[in-house]
């Protein structure tokens, strides 16, 4: 799956009768050399939300992770890297991902691949301060590359850039804050008075700093003032830093900084101007592990951690929501054959019952049970069967309509295909024409990626395969040799192949002529 970082969401519904409890748990995935990572030494992480790929810079190449497998870029497959040892993976304020190798070569991610960024970058070999402003504007980066920051500045790997504009920035070095602009040849120290600055981050257009005692301050560039600002937990309690076991991670490209402490991680938001708030995003963080990189995919609730020597950890939060019937009694069922989530979060069961904390009868008020299969055919419509009728129900207008008056089996199936619905009535499986995709859905439950047939009886099956998303392949074997096999052709009475030949080019199906197959016995 292209997680695109696996952006796969799991929802589990518990149907309870008496207790009302919310559950949450965290699943931890460990990526290392044992399952395909080129090295456990992580030099940078970048999450590309547009494509769903996680880019991992390691000491032995770059890995692009899609949630299932890796694609490795090293100096053998990508000579532009110049060296298999990667030094950094950074984003600039426009979201472009840059990757730098030990050779000094600078590359960028485009079209899901790595490309050489510009000629001449190799002169930065082992002098990475050429790249010190790479996360800022193109204007400042070019200036810095031509005249790299001097040795008094901290290591490139620890620099944090707080962009003020396209022509100026604030950067944090080991001994404090510095100001850099088109008019300053080198970064100029910023006077923050008695405060010993140990870190910095941005939230929107606001800048913040951290002192050596892990106290937070609002930094005002206009007058270089440093004003204390408290950090609260989501429950309103004051967040108390554990100096020996706390770390704030932030870099350009992260929407919010992340605080890590005591095996937990939280996003720091600045919604309120007078205080900051830490919102829990992950638990069960690995112990005794030095963490230097972090990325958070909020929509999917995926938290990525890059470590110095133990690879990458992916922590995903699953939420379990209990649902309860409107009326509880000793005869109340607590399990059902099928159910679908309604727009307000309630559940409709195969017996037509509403399960939810505050059910609204208008959401689904048919008053009768229906057969086991209940299907959602689009965002607003579900289908269900009742004796001799198949119904459609609009979840937004609360209206029911009859789709088909025909006796249905308990396990009837409905397969959406374009603007049409393929409905399997009482016959459980008809291995011909439109019955084939119905059988595939019923017994396999997934759209195939490869199907092959030899007559128009297979047309619907190939069409179903070829109209899905993702890679697919369809093939017709044209029985033209009646010596080897019964001939199926346009005018055959049995096994006619006419429509398939006409539409093969439309769906890009391969047609194999039996007479053209060599060495058949």
């Amino acid at each position: 799956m292209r997680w695109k970082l696996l952006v796969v969401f799991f929802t589990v519904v518990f149907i309870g009768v008496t207790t009302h409890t919310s559950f949450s748990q965290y699943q931890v995935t460990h990526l290392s050399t044992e399952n395909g990572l080129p090295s456990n030494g992580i030099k940078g992480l970048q999450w590309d939300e547009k494509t769903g790929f996680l880019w991992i810079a390691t000491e032995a190449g770059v890995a692009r992770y899609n949630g299932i497998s890796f694609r490795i870029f090293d100096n053998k497959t990508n000579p532009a890297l110049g060296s298999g040892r990667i030094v950094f993976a950074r984003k600039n304020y426009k979201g472009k991902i840059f990757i730098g190798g030990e050779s000094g070569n600078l590359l960028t991610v485009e079209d899901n691949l790595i490309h050489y960024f510009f000629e001449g970058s190799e002169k930065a070999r082992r002098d990475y301060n050429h790249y010190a402003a790479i996360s800022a504007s193109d204007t400042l980066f070019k200036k810095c590359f031509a005249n790299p920051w001097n040795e008094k500045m901290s290591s490139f790997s620890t620099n944090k850039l707080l962009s003020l504009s396209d022509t100026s920035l604030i950067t944090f070095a080991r001994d404090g804050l510095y100001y850099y602009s088109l008019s300053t040849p080198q970064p100029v120290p910023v006077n923050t008075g008695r405060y010993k600055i140990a870190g910095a981050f941005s939230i929107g257009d606001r800048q913040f700093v951290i002192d050596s005692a892990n106290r937070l301050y609002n930094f005002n560039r206009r007058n270089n003032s440093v004003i204390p600002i408290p950090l609260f937990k989501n429950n309103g309690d004051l967040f108390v830093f554990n100096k020996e076991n706390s770390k704030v991670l932030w870099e350009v490209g992260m929407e919010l900084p992340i605080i890590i402490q005591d095996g937990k991680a939280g996003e720091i938001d600045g919604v309120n101007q007078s205080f900051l708030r830490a919102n829990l995003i992950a638990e069960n963080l690995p112990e005794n592990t030095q963490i230097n990189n972090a990325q958070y995919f909020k929509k999917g609730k995926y938290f990525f951690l890059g470590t110095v020597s133990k690879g990458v950890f992916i922590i995903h939060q699953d939420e379990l929501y209990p649902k309860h019937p409107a009326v509880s009694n000793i005869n109340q069922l607590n399990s059902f054959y099928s159910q679908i989530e309604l727009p307000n979060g309630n559940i409709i069961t195969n017996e037509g019952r509403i399960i939810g904390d505050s059910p609204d009868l208008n959401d689904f008020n048919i008053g009768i049970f229906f057969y086991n299969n209940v299907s959602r055919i689009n965002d607003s419509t579900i289908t269900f069967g009742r004796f001799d009728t198949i119904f459609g129900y609009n979840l937004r207008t609360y209206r029911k309509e009859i789709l088909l008056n025909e006796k249905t089996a308990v396990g009837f199936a409905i397969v959406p295909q374009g603007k049409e619905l393929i409905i399997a009535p009482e016959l459980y499986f008809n291995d011909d024409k439109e019955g084939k995709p119905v059988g595939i859905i019923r017994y396999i439950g997934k759209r195939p990626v490869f199907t092959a047939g030899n007559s128009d009886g297979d047309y619907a099956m190939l069409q179903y395969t070829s109209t899905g998303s993702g890679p697919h392949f369809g093939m017709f074997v044209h029985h033209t040799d009646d010596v080897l096999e019964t001939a199926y052709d346009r005018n055959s009475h049995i096994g006619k192949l006419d429509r398939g030949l006409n539409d093969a080019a439309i769906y890009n199906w391969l047609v194999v002529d039996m007479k053209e197959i060599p060495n058949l016995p």
Side-chain angles (χ1 to χ4, degrees):
M1 86 196 112
R2 221 166 108 164
W3 212 333
K4 281 191 170 181
L5 214 142
L6 253 271
V7 181
V8 173
F9 302 93
F10 302 91
T11 301
V12 180
V13 176
F14 288 95
I15 297 176
V17 175
T18 56
T19 61
H20 292 249
T21 308
S22 295
F23 302 87
S24 67
Q25 65 181 24
Y26 297 87
Q27 296 182 354
V28 180
T29 301
H30 184 202
L31 306 180
S32 68
T33 53
E34 294 184 2
N35 50 26
L37 202 63
S39 168
N40 290 334
I42 307 304
K43 310 302 289 185
L45 289 179
Q46 293 299 335
W47 167 248
D48 189 344
E49 188 163 351
K50 292 181 180 179
T51 63
F53 287 128
L54 179 67
W55 291 89
I56 307 171
T58 80
E59 294 180 343
V62 179
R64 190 189 73 190
Y65 186 59
N66 65 1
I68 297 179
S69 59
F70 298 98
R71 171 152 181 192
I72 306 302
F73 303 85
D74 55 26
N75 59 338
K76 295 180 181 179
T77 59
N78 288 74
L81 280 172
S83 169
R85 187 180 179 88
I86 307 302
V87 179
F88 65 86
R90 295 280 181 90
K91 270 184 185 176
N92 66 9
Y93 275 91
K94 294 182 179 179
K96 181 183 287 291
I97 298 175
F98 292 97
I99 294 171
E102 190 177 55
S103 65
N105 289 1
L106 183 65
L107 298 96
T108 184
V109 173
E110 292 182 4
D111 300 324
N112 302 325
L113 299 172
I114 294 176
H115 302 275
Y116 205 66
F117 186 55
F118 68 91
E119 297 292 336
S121 62
E122 66 276 359
K123 73 178 185 180
R125 180 179 178 86
R126 300 189 184 281
D127 184 5
Y128 307 121
N129 276 350
H130 281 277
Y131 298 137
I134 195 169
S135 295
S137 66
D138 292 342
T139 302
L140 288 176
F141 166 59
K142 291 176 181 178
K143 178 178 184 292
C144 175
F145 184 82
N147 183 25
W149 294 357
N150 58 45
E151 296 179 357
K152 293 182 180 180
M153 296 298 296
S154 67
S155 168
F156 164 70
S157 62
T158 61
N159 282 340
K160 304 298 181 186
L161 301 185
L162 311 180
S163 181
L164 302 176
S165 68
D166 287 344
T167 59
S168 63
L169 61 83
I170 293 289
T171 183
F172 162 72
R174 289 177 180 173
D175 58 347
L177 298 181
Y178 287 77
Y179 174 76
Y180 182 67
S181 72
L182 289 181
S183 61
T184 58
Q186 289 287 319
V188 178
V190 174
N191 183 8
T192 55
R194 59 186 176 86
Y195 298 100
K196 187 177 181 180
I197 306 302
F201 59 86
S202 286
I203 300 178
D205 58 357
R206 301 167 64 194
Q207 286 80 43
F208 300 87
V209 294
I210 311 167
D211 70 8
S212 56
N214 282 340
R215 290 182 291 253
L216 299 178
Y217 302 87
N218 198 337
F219 175 71
N220 188 331
R221 170 53 192 157
R222 293 182 179 179
N223 54 16
N224 293 341
S225 63
V226 177
I227 303 173
I229 186 168
L231 175 65
F232 291 97
K233 299 179 182 179
N234 206 28
N235 62 5
D237 293 342
L238 184 68
F239 188 98
V240 179
F241 281 88
N242 180 339
K243 184 177 180 180
E244 301 300 323
N245 195 28
S246 295
K247 178 175 285 191
V248 176
L249 296 174
W250 178 86
E251 61 182 273
V252 174
M254 293 175 62
E255 180 182 359
L256 298 172
I258 292 172
I259 172 72
I260 294 177
Q261 180 171 297
D262 300 328
K264 299 179 180 180
E267 270 194 322
I268 300 176
D269 74 45
V271 175
N272 192 294
Q273 295 292 316
S274 59
F275 64 85
L276 299 176
R277 180 176 56 192
N279 301 303
L280 182 68
I281 59 173
E283 296 181 341
N284 303 332
L285 271 62
E287 298 179 350
N288 302 317
T289 302
Q290 186 175 349
I291 299 169
N292 278 352
N293 308 100
Q295 295 281 303
Y296 183 53
F297 175 37
K298 184 176 296 186
K299 183 178 180 181
K301 296 183 179 179
Y302 284 92
F303 184 43
F304 311 107
L305 291 172
T307 71
V308 172
S309 61
K310 295 185 178 181
V312 175
F313 292 85
I314 302 173
I315 302 175
H316 176 237
Q317 180 182 1
D318 291 341
E319 295 186 356
L320 313 178
Y321 298 103
K323 297 294 180 181
H324 313 275
V327 179
S328 299
N329 57 60
I330 60 174
N331 296 315
Q332 175 70 53
L333 291 176
N334 60 9
S335 63
F336 302 90
Y337 286 104
S338 64
Q339 52 272 324
I340 281 183
E341 184 179 5
L342 299 174
N344 67 352
N346 289 336
I347 302 297
I348 174 66
T349 75
N350 64 285
E351 292 201 351
R353 298 185 183 183
I354 294 290
I355 305 296
D357 297 329
S358 302
D360 181 351
L361 293 181
N362 285 331
D363 279 349
F364 200 96
N365 192 20
I366 62 171
I368 56 175
F369 75 90
F370 45 89
Y371 287 141
N372 297 347
N373 275 1
V374 52
S375 304
R376 183 187 294 274
I377 60 175
N378 54 43
D379 290 341
S380 61
T381 305
I382 63 173
T383 60
F384 60 92
R386 167 79 175 169
F387 297 123
D388 61 350
T389 306
I390 295 177
F391 295 93
Y393 186 82
N394 191 303
L395 300 172
R396 295 173 179 170
T397 64
Y398 316 127
R399 292 183 179 180
K400 176 180 64 180
E401 63 175 329
I402 295 175
L403 300 181
L404 179 68
N405 282 113
E406 185 172 334
K407 187 175 181 180
T408 57
V410 171
F412 80 98
I414 297 178
V415 181
Q417 185 164 310
K419 296 183 179 180
E420 298 179 346
L421 290 178
I422 299 176
I423 300 175
E426 193 165 80
L427 181 64
Y428 273 89
F429 180 55
N430 178 23
D431 190 20
D432 192 28
K433 299 179 180 178
E434 284 73 21
K436 290 198 173 188
V438 171
I440 290 171
I441 288 295
R442 175 176 292 162
Y443 295 105
I444 300 177
K446 295 182 179 180
R447 190 188 297 264
V449 297
F450 176 98
T451 49
N454 56 16
S455 73
D456 285 345
D458 301 308
Y459 183 96
M461 177 179 66
L462 268 72
Q463 185 184 49
Y464 179 57
T465 300
S466 302
T467 53
S469 60
H472 52 262
F473 180 83
M475 179 179 73
F476 273 115
V477 177
H478 191 184
H479 287 212
T480 55
D481 192 336
D482 59 0
V483 176
L484 293 175
E485 179 64 73
T486 301
Y488 295 165
D489 215 331
R490 294 184 184 275
N491 298 318
S492 300
H493 296 290
I494 299 176
K496 182 177 182 181
L497 180 59
D498 183 28
R499 189 182 178 193
L501 293 176
N502 292 337
D503 293 349
I506 297 176
Y507 293 104
N508 200 26
W509 292 332
L510 176 66
V511 177
V512 178
D513 191 323
M514 184 175 287
K515 286 184 177 181
E516 301 298 325
I517 302 176
N519 302 323
L520 283 176

